[in-house]
Every structure is written in C-alpha cells, then in structure tokens.
Amino acid sequence: MHAPAPSPLPARNLEHAGASILVFGDAATACHAAADRFADTLGSALQERGRAVLGLATGATPVRLYASLVARHRRGELSFADVATYNLDEFYPISPFDPKSYRFYMHRHLFEHVDLAPNRAHLLDGTVPEAFVAEHAAQYDRWIAADGGLDLQLLGIGRNGHIGFNEPTDRPVAETLALPTRLVDLHPITRADASREFGAEEEVIPRALTLGVAPILAARAILVLAFGSNKADAVARSLTGAMTSRVPGSLLQSVPGKVTWFLDAEAARGLL
Ligand code: F6R
C-alpha cells in the first residue's frame, strides 16, 4: 500500500475580500506552488522589462520556498542574473554577521546559492547610526521606486496580524495605509515569537526597521504565506474581518486583485 502522492493542485480555491486564497493539504505543497508563482512572476517581469524587482521576507514560513527556488536554480531553470531584491525588515541595531540578522538568514537560505549580484540584494541596514536611520529608511523607499517598484512582494504574517514589522496599532486606517519605511518598536507578541531565535524574550532586540505599509501595498503582486494553526486567527481576521490597523494583514483588502494567499489547511481553518 502506498500513500497517495500529494496533489499539486490546491485542495481548495477560495475568494475573500478581493484576494485569491489557495489552500493546500500541507505547507510543503503550498511552498512548492508559491515557488511556481514566484518563478512565473519573475519570468513575466524579465520578458516584459528585461529585469525583475522582488520583495523578500524572512522567518520560518518561507524557508521551504527558498529551498525550492534554489533547487530550480541548480537545475538551470531559474536565474537571478537580472533580478534586484529588497527585504522587508531587519532588527535594529544588528550586525550583518549576527546569525540572527535577516541579512545572515537571506545569505544562508538564498543569496549564497544563486546568481544574484551582491549589489542588487538590498536589506535595511542594522548598522546605520541612529541619527541617520530616518534618512536611510526614506532612501530605501526611493531605491525601490527608482528600480521601477516591486514586481512581487512576498509576505508572512505574524500571530498578531503584522505584515513586515508593521505592528498592530490604534491609528486610523488611512494613516496606516500611508506609512513609509521606518524604525518601529516590536509588539510583545512579536518579541515572544522571536525568543525562538534569541533564546529568551529579554534577549530579543526590541526594535526593527520595516518596509512601510505603503510600499508593501504598492507592489504589483503580493503573495502571503501562512502555515499552522497558530496563524489561523490572524488569517481569518485579515480576510474576513473589517480593515483595521489592529490587524495589519486586513489592510491587504485595500488592494483587491493583487493578493494571493498560500495556506495550509490549519492556517485556513477559520475560512473553511
Ligand atoms: C519577516 C517578516 C515577518 C514574518 C512574520 C511570520 O521578514 O516580515 O512579518 O513574516 O513574523 O514569521 P514566521 O514565518 O517566522 O512565522
């Protein structure tokens, strides 16, 4: 008796709040499908403009997506030669050599394995002197705009609904939608979750640089990945609740037609 091979097709295909939602039996299948979409978007941008500009995320969620992209590159199916990347966020302050830095993560999971030019792999810089952080963040938004804007933004979602490190607040929605890239304080739930990498909550660097809500929403396409039951609440509130700054993921409803969610059945529990 053999277990049936996992279906490459989404188990379910839903729509909520102008987003398309693909629900897969497990996270590995979802990551494979998300890698297909990622590679297709990259290919279309190369065809249309001769180059592609990609917004990348870190964390546990996209690790298998990056592994799948690296495997495609090794098979000669995917090249990053004409690609520029911009990461979503970085702890502040942090050394790029710190294994907990997102620069280190990106190097380990993607950059050292593919043919991306070193001066086209951009991250917010955790070493910028504090007096120049605002200028650095504003400059990062200008770099993306000067590069023609993001063809694709990859996102995970926090248990508290954060996207990038745009954390829940009580701001009016219109104000949050206009937020640029900036230095932020991490929310207690984000700090609790980051204790996984930092060893203890008190050790977590409490601030970070994050791409703003405005440049995230300006991407031409947005892929959101969420796996596991601990994301089910944030996913359901983002997709079926009202748009509110208390659930930053719900602000993705403001760009109908741009967003595709790749979920496993557990993360989709509140939608099915
Ligand atoms: C990471 C990022 C965060 C994570 C989110 C989920 O660059 O911007 O918003 O996507 O915190 O993290 P994981 O994937 O570790 O559950």
Side-chain angles (χ1 to χ4, degrees), residues 57-62 88-89 102 155-158 162-165 196 231:
T58 55
T61 308
L88 264 177
D89 37 27
Y102 288 159
L155 294 177
I157 189 162
H162 74 202
I163 50 174
F165 282 136
R196 214 171 39 200
K231 298 293 175 74

Side-chain angles (χ1 to χ4, degrees), residues 56-62 87-90 102 154-160 162-166 190 193 196-197 210 225 227 230-231:
L56 303 180
T58 55
T61 308
N87 263 81
L88 264 177
D89 37 27
E90 180 61 285
Y102 288 159
L154 186 64
L155 294 177
I157 189 162
R159 273 195 303 138
N160 61 4
H162 74 202
I163 50 174
F165 282 136
N166 294 283
T190 305
D193 286 351
R196 214 171 39 200
E197 286 79 35
T210 184
L225 273 57
F227 309 133
N230 64 343
K231 298 293 175 74

Side-chain angles (χ1 to χ4, degrees), residues 66-247:
Y66 292 134
S68 177
L69 296 176
V70 169
R72 282 156 214 244
H73 174 71
R74 289 197 174 128
R75 294 197 299 265
E77 296 164 9
L78 187 65
S79 167
F80 289 77
D82 297 307
V83 170
T85 64
Y86 289 88
N87 263 81
L88 264 177
D89 37 27
E90 180 61 285
F91 291 102
Y92 184 84
I94 199 162
S95 156
F97 304 109
D98 187 325
K100 295 182 288 297
S101 76
Y102 288 159
R103 181 170 281 284
F104 194 95
Y105 169 109
M106 288 311 303
H107 193 68
R108 182 151 69 102
H109 291 292
L110 186 67
F111 297 161
E112 73 178 356
H113 308 292
V114 298
D115 56 343
L116 178 66
N119 64 341
R120 295 216 194 112
H122 309 288
L123 277 98
L124 287 154
D125 187 347
T127 72
V128 166
E130 183 142 7
F132 295 92
V133 156
E135 192 177 318
H136 171 57
Q139 196 175 48
Y140 199 74
D141 285 343
R142 291 203 300 276
W143 292 353
I144 294 174
D147 235 342
L150 299 169
D151 291 301
L152 177 136
Q153 176 65 61
L154 186 64
L155 294 177
I157 189 162
R159 273 195 303 138
N160 61 4
H162 74 202
I163 50 174
F165 282 136
N166 294 283
E167 299 285 26
T169 68
D170 289 325
R171 281 195 188 92
V173 165
E175 246 178 58
T176 306
L177 291 175
L179 282 174
T181 297
R182 67 205 186 285
L183 183 63
V184 296
D185 292 321
L186 296 179
H187 186 272
I189 292 182
T190 305
R191 291 209 301 268
D193 286 351
S195 63
R196 214 171 39 200
E197 286 79 35
F198 283 83
E201 211 170 313
E202 317 76 71
E203 302 294 322
V204 175
I205 297 173
R207 291 190 299 169
L209 289 158
T210 184
L211 198 68
V213 174
I216 290 174
L217 297 177
R220 286 184 275 282
I222 300 175
L223 305 190
V224 195
L225 273 57
F227 309 133
S229 56
N230 64 343
K231 298 293 175 74
D233 188 47
V235 167
R237 290 169 74 204
S238 296
L239 282 161
T240 62
M243 258 206 272
T244 164
S245 304
R246 286 195 200 96
V247 185

